[in-house]
């Protein structure tokens, strides 16, 4: 095997290993596990394109996080949610060491809560308290000075503490009757393994995104996807919501009391299923998602 081939193979292995952590960062930066996957895919494309001409990358993990960080910022600008990146004082301070309880609380903070922090504070808190990066790594990824990183981290943590003290009085959304009816029909046929009935529900030009695996187009090609599910026994579908969107939550019937393993999203047109987005091979995406049944 040539040196170039070995390097490419090693880089491919790194991308596979890093994908869950990179998604965790992207999802918390943009406030959505679904949008976070789109940002991640864009970042990985940029990384693959840049790798060939990047030369010797001294810290490949930090380099990938830097690309993911910048891609997330591009996405926020595009979505019209750009927040102030300036105004962080260049204060020299010691970063407080969090106790184990507070560290776990920050790691479990909802994506919607992270979105209430300014971008610099959000990025620094996620990188250190969720992903375990060092201050030096934060400076490299976010392209900021050490005092700025310390200040952002300190202020971000303080604001999260204030948010945590706010009363939780937001009502949980629920599925509409229409969404529950059409999702319920799809789920009932799927759970009964009546894939002929499922095929009758999908449009002739249905699009399938089996995230992190493959794309398919058209009823004939997508039929193979249902055939793969027919061979498996580690799934049970339940209609629900993911980040307020109608979705299908997938549980493992062999594991009692566990949460959903992953989820699916369906798109509809003229009463038919026109798009399927299945996160079976990207189960990391459920991490941190707000969901309900």
């Amino acid at each position: 095997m040539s040196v170039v081939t070995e390097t490419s193979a090693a880089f491919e292995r790194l991308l596979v290993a890093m994908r869950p952590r990179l998604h965790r960062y992207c999802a918390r930066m943009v406030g959505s596990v679904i949008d976070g996957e789109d940002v991640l895919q864009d970042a990985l494309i940029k990384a693959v394109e840049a790798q060939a001409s990047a030369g010797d990358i001294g810290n490949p993990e930090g380099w990938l996080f830097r690309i993911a960080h910048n891609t997330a910022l591009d996405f926020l600008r595009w979505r019209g949610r750009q927040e102030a990146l300036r105004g962080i004082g260049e204060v020299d301070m010691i970063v407080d060491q969090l106790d184990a309880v507070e560290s776990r609380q920050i790691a479990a903070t909802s994506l919607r809560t992270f979105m209430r922090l300014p971008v610099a504070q959000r990025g620094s808190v996620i990188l250190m308290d969720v992903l375990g990066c060092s201050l030096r790594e934060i400076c490299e990824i976010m392209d900021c000075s050490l005092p700025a990183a310390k200040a952002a981290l300190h202020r971000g943590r303080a604001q999260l503490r204030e948010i945590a003290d706010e009363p939780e009085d937001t009502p949980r959304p629920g599925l509409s009757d229409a969404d529950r009816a059409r999702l319920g029909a799809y789920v009932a046929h799927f759970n009964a393994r009546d894939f002929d009935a499922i095929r009758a529900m999908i449009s002739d030009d249905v699009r399938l995104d089996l995230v992190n695996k493959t794309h398919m187009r058209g009823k004939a090609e997508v039929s193979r996807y249902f055939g793969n599910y027919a061979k498996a026994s580690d799934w049970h579908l339940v209609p629900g919501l993911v980040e307020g969107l109608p979705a299908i939550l997938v549980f493992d019937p062999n594991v009692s009391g566990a949460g959903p393993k992953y989820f699916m999203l369906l798109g509809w047109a003229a009463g038919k299923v026109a798009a399927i987005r299945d996160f079976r091979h990207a189960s990391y995406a459920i991490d941190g998602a707000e969901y309900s049944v």
Side-chain angles (χ1 to χ4, degrees):
M1 184 182 291
S2 69
V3 174
V4 173
T5 305
E6 288 179 359
T7 301
S8 298
F11 186 69
E12 181 65 30
R13 289 193 296 271
L14 176 65
L15 294 184
V16 171
M18 287 287 293
R19 189 166 183 133
R21 292 185 72 217
L22 290 169
H23 177 269
R24 200 175 189 193
Y25 181 71
C26 292
R28 282 155 179 77
M29 280 297 291
V30 304
S32 164
V33 297
I34 299 166
D35 290 340
E37 179 62 29
D38 292 332
V39 171
L40 171 60
Q41 290 184 18
D42 192 18
L44 294 181
I45 290 170
K46 291 177 179 177
V48 170
E49 291 175 346
Q51 187 260 342
S53 58
D56 182 32
I57 303 172
N59 177 10
E61 291 190 8
W63 182 77
L64 286 172
F65 269 115
R66 176 75 176 274
I67 292 174
H69 175 75
N70 289 334
T71 306
L73 293 186
D74 288 342
F75 179 85
L76 290 171
R77 294 186 188 100
W78 172 81
R79 196 168 60 180
R81 293 184 183 175
Q82 175 63 22
E83 301 175 60
L85 293 172
R86 301 177 197 79
I88 296 179
E90 296 290 313
V91 231
D92 191 10
M93 63 178 72
I94 297 174
V95 176
D96 300 328
Q97 295 299 310
L98 302 182
D99 61 35
V101 173
E102 189 170 11
S103 293
R104 286 196 299 271
Q105 288 173 339
I106 290 179
T109 296
S110 75
L111 277 67
R112 192 168 45 183
T113 300
F114 276 121
M115 288 301 292
R116 295 176 62 178
L117 300 181
V119 170
Q121 294 178 20
R122 188 189 320 161
S124 60
V125 171
I126 295 167
L127 286 168
M128 175 165 281
D129 296 333
V130 178
L131 296 171
C133 294
S134 67
L135 274 173
R136 185 176 299 278
E137 289 171 322
I138 292 172
C139 294
E140 180 182 345
I141 292 165
M142 297 181 57
D143 192 23
C144 65
S145 67
L146 183 61
K150 290 178 178 179
L153 187 63
H154 178 79
R155 292 174 181 175
R157 286 172 172 176
Q159 191 164 340
L160 285 180
R161 293 186 192 104
E162 293 177 6
I163 294 171
D165 291 335
E166 295 176 359
E168 181 58 60
D169 53 4
T170 307
R172 283 187 169 274
L175 279 172
S176 69
D177 291 341
D179 284 329
R180 187 169 292 281
R182 61 186 183 181
L183 277 182
Y186 187 93
V187 163
H189 289 312
F190 214 109
N191 285 336
R193 296 176 178 267
D194 187 357
F195 295 113
D196 286 337
I198 291 287
R199 291 183 182 96
M201 296 180 68
I202 64 178
S203 65
D204 290 336
D205 61 347
V206 63
R207 301 183 313 279
L208 168 70
D209 177 12
L210 193 53
V211 179
N212 197 19
K213 187 74 172 177
T214 190
H215 296 269
M216 297 180 184
R217 180 72 179 259
K219 183 177 287 191
E221 192 173 359
V222 173
S223 288
R224 300 204 309 268
Y225 156 80
F226 298 120
N228 290 333
Y229 265 103
K231 300 171 188 174
S233 60
D234 61 346
W235 53 266
H236 177 77
L237 277 52
V238 177
L241 294 170
V242 173
E243 298 183 342
L245 296 175
I248 296 170
L249 299 169
V250 185
F251 296 81
D252 188 339
N254 306 305
V255 182
S256 177
K261 294 170 56 180
Y262 60 97
F263 61 95
M264 304 174 184
L265 301 174
L266 301 182
W268 302 81
K272 295 279 191 178
V273 177
I276 303 168
R277 196 172 192 196
D278 185 336
F279 286 78
R280 179 178 177 87
H281 297 284
S283 56
Y284 52 77
I286 197 72
D287 170 44
E290 293 186 2
Y291 62 82
S292 60
V293 296

